[in-house]
Amino acid sequence: MGFPKASLIWTGSGEPKWRFPYPTLRCGACPECGSQLVSIADDSDMAMVTGFSLADQSGIEPPATPPDLRPSKPM
């Protein structure tokens, strides 16, 4: 999920532990458990955040899956 970088507030253990898989991209993980939390490109004002890492997930429900993309058998 994309959010403006300026709107993010780090909670819990503070800033993520950063790694740099590409020269212009940084990825942040939880410093305690290592779960991927966020990725931020240098030339972007947006941060891509893992939805399950958000403390408040209200209002970010994913869109419904169109009927033609649903599995034909229950999983």
Side-chain angles (χ1 to χ4, degrees):
M1 308 197 71
F3 297 94
K5 287 191 285 191
S7 70
L8 292 178
I9 298 170
W10 303 115
T11 61
S13 301
E15 282 266 337
K17 181 177 179 183
W18 296 103
R19 62 183 180 85
F20 301 86
Y22 299 100
T24 59
L25 179 70
R26 60 184 167 138
C27 295
C30 173
E32 293 179 15
C33 71
S35 295
Q36 175 73 32
L37 302 174
V38 63
S39 59
I40 301 173
D42 287 348
D43 61 349
S44 177
D45 292 331
M46 301 294 285
M48 301 308 292
V49 179
T50 304
F52 289 113
S53 67
L54 298 172
D56 180 4
Q57 297 177 13
S58 60
I60 61 164
E61 291 78 18
T65 304
D68 59 333
L69 295 178
R70 293 182 186 149
S72 57
K73 296 179 182 178
M75 299 178 119

